Amino acid sequence: LEQGSRFLGFHLSENANTGVIQDVKPEDDVLNRYQTLEWKGFLSAALLIYQYNNGGIHRVSLNNEGGFHSEDGSIGSRAHVYENLTKCAMTSFLFLTGYGHTSYFYYHPANNHDSYRMSRVLVIIFRVNCSAVFLSLVIGKAEYMACLMITYCFLIIWLTMRLKRSINYDKYRFRCKLFGLAACIFIVWDCDISNFFSYNVVQNSFRPIWEWYCLSHLHHWAAFCGMIFAINLPIASYQLRKLESLHILTNIMAKGLIFMTLGAVVMVWTAGPLQMSRSAYNISHPYFGIIPVLAFTYLRNICGAMREHHVGIFSSLGKYSLEIYLLHHHAFTDSGCILFIPGYPRCNFALVSMLLLFAARVLHRRSIILRHMLLPENEERKCIQHASSIVVGLAILYTLARALSLANMVSVGTISTITIVCGILIFQTVVDMTWAEYR
């Protein structure tokens, strides 16, 4: 905290010696680890409730004029306000992604090459995409665009922080680097890039890439805002603790003025952009969707008691937010929730939610175990070798599956035989690669 504050022009150590401004533990500071988990857990619970009420995540695409349209081709259709709120939830996740990874790189105790190791990059990519890749291969199509967005945001943050990392603590040159990143984001997403390409050719030939570009357009400033907030965290923490060290009336009036200002902005956003149709809201969301995120962050940390406490059930749920997102696609379909108890929809929802949470916990634990076995973060060379082997193995299996499909040899017997043989080979390979010291 002191190092970051000195970079920003503050000298907390001088004030700390006077006893006026109290020190703070990391777990009780602004937007601490428990708060981020609580936030993710709350969003995961809201996602399940939204899906239970037959809410749908609609994909969007750009037309040749650069505007957004829904899948059914309607232009001015009135979107439900909850559908627009789901986009704010995605913005929140990406904001927390930018905040969390930037905090790790910027405030890492070592502050050297160790925090930018390629092994850490591979570990994060494996953690985010491992379950999504295998689920996509099983069902035969990709439905987890959020994982791709999180991976993209992480890589952008890693590259930005690693490039000329020696200037990360230079007051002005680091700001110039961040300004350069903002300029790149503006050029790619805010300039009408669709004019540089033939829309029909791109849409027909590279539709998955085009769909990802449209989705990323909705949230292209979210991770960058998380980066800025993480870098300026000492200022936010210092400002709140400075106000709390003043007279109670001054403290209440100052915080109340900030709260009313943010509340007025949120009310304008609620009455304006949030009520727009789907196509209009998709255009405005990249610039106004961050407003409720910042307002919630301030309200959640407005006083010491709020910062020092958290809702335990949401924090626990937040640990499995990625797995909940992946599995909810299969627990909730377009026709509603999977039916186990006919005639009792709420009981059925409770049972499905319990099974989903249990499966999410199991999937989380298995992915963590595989990550530690296959990608040892403290052994750079072995981690890269194992990652290369995983990519090659997936490519071989995918090629084999495509060959069987083209040869019309897909049957229960063929799939069972290949699964058993490949499973034995993969198991033995993993054992040989990870447990060689026990042989």
Side-chain angles (χ1 to χ4, degrees):
L1 181 62
E2 291 182 0
Q3 183 179 11
S5 301
R6 287 195 299 270
F7 158 70
L8 295 166
F10 291 88
H11 301 279
L12 299 187
S13 58
E14 297 177 3
N15 295 324
N17 293 332
T18 65
V20 176
I21 301 177
Q22 297 182 357
D23 294 332
V24 62
K25 297 179 180 179
E27 61 269 20
D28 297 332
D29 205 353
V30 175
L31 206 58
N32 55 67
R33 172 65 174 170
Y34 297 107
Q35 285 189 30
T36 57
L37 289 177
E38 176 193 72
W39 197 344
K40 293 178 181 179
F42 171 77
L43 292 176
S44 299
L47 174 65
L48 297 181
I49 296 174
Y50 174 71
Q51 291 295 335
Y52 168 71
N53 289 281
N54 294 325
I57 305 298
H58 298 275
R59 293 182 180 179
V60 293
S61 59
L62 284 172
N63 65 353
N64 52 358
E65 286 84 17
F68 282 91
H69 283 246
S70 59
E71 284 186 333
D72 57 2
S74 60
I75 299 177
S77 59
R78 184 71 176 177
H80 199 278
V81 65
Y82 292 136
E83 183 182 340
N84 292 338
L85 286 174
T86 59
K87 300 180 178 70
C88 295
M90 183 64 183
T91 297
S92 300
F93 272 110
L94 296 178
F95 174 85
L96 293 175
T97 298
Y99 169 80
H101 292 301
T102 304
S103 298
Y104 176 84
F105 292 128
Y106 194 65
Y107 301 108
H108 192 273
N111 285 321
N112 54 28
H113 179 70
D114 290 342
S115 57
Y116 302 97
R117 296 191 306 265
M118 181 58 66
S119 58
R120 173 169 174 79
V121 176
L122 295 175
V123 164
I124 296 298
I125 293 176
F126 181 87
R127 170 72 182 92
V128 174
N129 296 281
C130 174
S131 300
V133 168
F134 281 100
L135 286 173
S136 298
L137 292 175
V138 169
I139 65 177
K141 59 180 179 179
E143 292 186 346
Y144 317 107
M145 295 297 289
C147 296
L148 185 60
M149 282 294 302
I150 293 174
T151 303
Y152 157 76
C153 292
F154 166 72
L155 291 176
I156 289 295
I157 294 168
W158 175 72
L159 288 173
T160 302
M161 298 298 292
R162 191 182 190 280
L163 182 65
K164 292 187 179 297
R165 56 183 177 272
S166 59
I167 68 172
N168 284 354
Y169 300 97
D170 185 279
K171 186 174 182 180
Y172 297 105
R173 289 193 292 173
F174 186 51
R175 283 177 167 85
C176 291
K177 184 164 72 168
L178 293 177
F179 180 80
L181 174 62
C184 293
I185 294 175
F186 178 82
I187 292 172
V188 174
W189 280 277
D190 292 316
C191 295
D192 197 355
I193 197 172
S194 60
N195 289 336
F196 296 98
F197 303 97
S198 174
Y199 171 74
N200 293 327
V201 174
V202 174
Q203 185 186 35
N204 296 331
S205 302
F206 307 100
R207 185 172 182 82
I209 298 177
W210 190 253
E211 288 182 353
W212 174 84
Y213 173 79
C214 297
L215 178 63
S216 62
H217 183 278
L218 289 173
H219 313 285
H220 61 269
W221 288 111
F224 181 78
C225 291
M227 287 185 65
I228 299 301
F229 188 87
I231 293 168
N232 291 276
L233 181 64
I235 291 181
S237 177
Y238 179 78
Q239 183 252 1
L240 288 173
R241 290 184 287 121
K242 177 65 176 178
L243 291 177
E244 291 165 0
S245 68
L246 303 177
H247 191 273
I248 185 171
L249 292 179
T250 305
N251 180 24
I252 293 176
M253 291 180 61
K255 291 183 177 180
L257 180 61
I258 299 174
F259 174 76
M260 287 188 295
T261 302
L262 289 174
V265 174
V266 172
M267 290 179 63
V268 172
W269 173 80
T270 303
L274 187 61
Q275 304 297 328
M276 293 179 177
S277 64
R278 183 189 307 164
S279 57
Y281 182 81
N282 288 339
I283 297 175
S284 65
H285 178 77
Y287 317 103
F288 299 103
I290 198 66
I291 291 176
V293 176
L294 296 177
F296 174 81
T297 302
Y298 181 78
L299 179 63
R300 182 63 181 80
N301 296 274
I302 196 170
C303 64
M306 294 284 287
R307 298 192 296 272
E308 294 171 4
H309 296 84
H310 64 278
V311 182
I313 187 172
F314 285 149
S315 295
S316 300
L317 198 62
K319 298 177 182 178
Y320 315 112
S321 58
L322 175 62
E323 288 75 19
I324 291 174
Y325 165 76
L326 295 175
L327 295 176
H328 93 276
H329 289 86
H330 311 284
F332 301 92
T333 60
D334 294 336
S335 59
C337 183
I338 295 177
L339 189 60
F340 287 110
I341 310 176
Y344 297 89
R346 291 180 176 82
C347 295
N348 185 74
F349 171 71
L351 177 60
V352 171
S353 299
M354 292 176 59
L355 294 175
L356 188 147
L357 295 179
F358 175 77
R361 183 176 180 179
V362 173
L363 185 61
H364 173 82
R365 181 172 177 80
R366 296 299 180 268
S367 63
I368 293 297
I369 293 175
L370 283 175
R371 188 197 74 180
H372 285 293
M373 290 177 62
L374 299 176
L375 301 176
E377 191 173 353
N378 56 344
E379 299 183 37
E380 183 89 1
R381 183 177 178 180
K382 183 181 291 187
C383 184
I384 296 175
Q385 291 177 348
H386 290 183
S388 302
S389 301
I390 292 172
V391 173
V392 172
L394 286 175
I396 293 174
L397 292 176
Y398 181 79
T399 304
L400 179 60
R402 293 293 296 177
L404 291 175
S405 178
L406 294 175
N408 294 324
M409 295 178 60
V410 179
S411 63
V412 177
T414 304
I415 298 299
S416 300
T417 303
I418 294 177
T419 300
I420 293 173
V421 174
C422 291
I424 294 174
L425 292 176
I426 291 174
F427 174 78
Q428 189 61 43
T429 302
V430 170
V431 170
D432 292 340
M433 291 171 61
T434 58
W435 298 97
E437 61 271 22
Y438 295 102
R439 289 185 301 179

